[in-house]
Amino acid sequence: MKIGIVCYPTFGGSGVVATELGKALAAKGHQVHFISYSQPVRLDFFSGNLFYHEVAVSDYPLFDYQPYELVLSSKLVDVVKYEKLDLLHVHYAIPHASAAYMAKQILASQGINIPFITTLHGTDITLVGKDPSFEPVITFAINQSDAVTSVSESLKADTYANFPQVKKDIKVIPNFICLDDYKPNDAVCSKKMYAPNGERLLIHVSNFRKVKRVEDVLRVFDKVRKQIPSKLILVGDGPERPAIEKLCRELDTCSDIRSLGKIVNPEQVLAIADLFLLTSETESFGLAALEAMAAKVPVISTNSGGIPEVNINGFSGYMSNVGDVDDMAKNAVNILKDDATLNQFKTNAYQQAMKFDIAKILPMYELLYKDVLSKK
Ligand code: GMT
């Protein structure tokens, strides 16, 4: 098949999922064309089946806001026509689904029928998408998609709740990881670098937005390190960084925390971690937690959104109510208190991650593509 994938190229989960999906499809012999405004960060892989088309937005002075959606629609028309694509798969509803709809209509006027599949990722439905200014467009674009998937049952339910006019059947295809990328020998970091005296190593990976409640990560860590010698690694960057730095000083924990910034291959750092902290207000899925489990790192998380579909309480880690940092710290100590318990949780975490191996999930997308094409 010749598949066009539209995604955000940044470190966000939707871009990561889209890129890894495209890489896996290319490895299976499909021709995959990425269409985005810059090279996706995880597109660090060479294959004769992978192509990248940049959406170049002009900076004409009349525009205070560049009309990205229109440029994207035009680019889609161009790529579909000249690369003879079979279908488009757009990740994140805003504005990718409506741009795909527009491209589809333009192409239809030229006698070309291109189906498009929309994958909903989370904040496009639960945060940004909820904004009434987006509602009619999102509802319309979802209903007009040839197929719609969501990354969890929870997100599917949220979509119907937040967009009552959505009538489309939504198919849940969970996120995945490529377990082959998590081979222990691939570790390029050593634990001694960050925990020189054998301390337990906690880790948090996110884009440091408000929804991640990174302050809670610091508060949990502060409570844990008072009971068990520990260090904390922060991976990622984002708007909440100044608030985090302030809190770290207030709690006097800075000497035990290392910020590594944005990292393209988080598995290299996850490989040396003992415990992952995910304190989000909501997560449609929590790909970061799944990546941790694939690296045999148990997860202390909140129980909101789709997280319970990923982290199994008392098995791959523990879940607590949003903001209950005392409970999270208690659970963290329970996992970290001795090697036997920690090793059991590490084994369980990996076992849970195996359920989401790409080998199991990729065929679901391929089946969906075939189904959509059969109705073309
Ligand atoms: O978490 C973010 O802020 C980024 C966002 C994205 O779309 O890039 O992540 C969402 O999609 C991920 C991949 O499907 C999910 O694993 C995340 O849970 C989801 N984030 C939220 O729902 C907050």
Side-chain angles (χ1 to χ4, degrees), residues 12-14 92 121 123 175 207 209 212 282-287:
S14 61
Y92 208 87
H121 277 276
T123 47
N175 285 333
N207 50 25
R209 297 207 193 114
K212 305 293 174 182
T282 184
E283 286 288 342
S284 66
F285 184 90
L287 183 66

Side-chain angles (χ1 to χ4, degrees), residues 237-347:
D237 208 347
E240 290 301 298
R241 165 161 296 285
I244 300 313
E245 278 166 5
K246 187 164 172 272
L247 182 61
C248 150
R249 285 172 198 159
E250 277 167 28
L251 294 171
D252 197 19
T253 51
C254 301
S255 59
D256 285 328
I257 299 178
R258 282 293 285 271
S259 292
L260 302 186
K262 293 177 180 175
I263 290 181
V264 176
N265 299 311
E267 67 271 14
Q268 294 173 344
V269 193
L270 287 168
I272 59 166
D274 295 310
L275 192 67
F276 188 87
L277 300 177
L278 185 69
T279 52
S280 305
E281 180 87 37
T282 184
E283 286 288 342
S284 66
F285 184 90
L287 183 66
L290 178 58
E291 292 187 327
M293 289 181 206
K296 300 196 171 73
V297 182
V299 173
I300 292 295
S301 71
T302 53
N303 53 13
S304 67
I307 298 177
E309 295 171 51
V310 182
N311 188 19
I312 306 301
N313 198 41
F315 183 73
S316 53
Y318 285 104
M319 291 187 295
S320 308
N321 292 332
V322 174
D324 192 346
V325 290
D326 287 332
D327 194 53
M328 290 184 226
K330 185 190 86 200
N331 290 334
V333 169
N334 188 38
I335 293 177
L336 297 171
K337 64 184 182 226
D338 61 71
D339 286 349
T341 310
L342 177 58
N343 288 336
Q344 185 59 58
F345 271 93
K346 279 177 174 269
T347 305

Side-chain angles (χ1 to χ4, degrees), residues 1-7 13-26 28 30 32 86-92 115-122 124 146-153 155 170-178 284-285 287 290 356-374:
M1 277 178 253
K2 287 185 169 190
I3 303 150
I5 292 187
V6 180
C7 65
S14 61
V16 169
V17 169
T19 311
E20 296 296 345
L21 175 63
K23 284 156 69 172
L25 287 165
K28 277 195 90 174
H30 300 289
V32 178
D86 296 309
L87 62 87
L88 291 171
H89 185 176
V90 304
H91 291 258
Y92 208 87
F116 76 97
I117 295 167
T118 300
T119 289
L120 308 172
H121 277 276
D124 45 353
D146 292 274
V148 180
T149 75
S150 75
V151 299
S152 64
E153 292 291 346
L155 182 59
I170 299 173
K171 186 176 172 54
V172 175
I173 301 186
N175 285 333
F176 53 83
I177 19 93
C178 309
S284 66
F285 184 90
L287 183 66
L290 178 58
F356 299 91
D357 187 26
I358 185 137
K360 297 196 172 86
I361 310 298
L362 187 66
M364 297 185 194
Y365 278 115
E366 286 181 293
L367 204 64
L368 179 68
Y369 293 168
K370 281 186 195 143
D371 184 48
V372 163
L373 287 176
S374 72

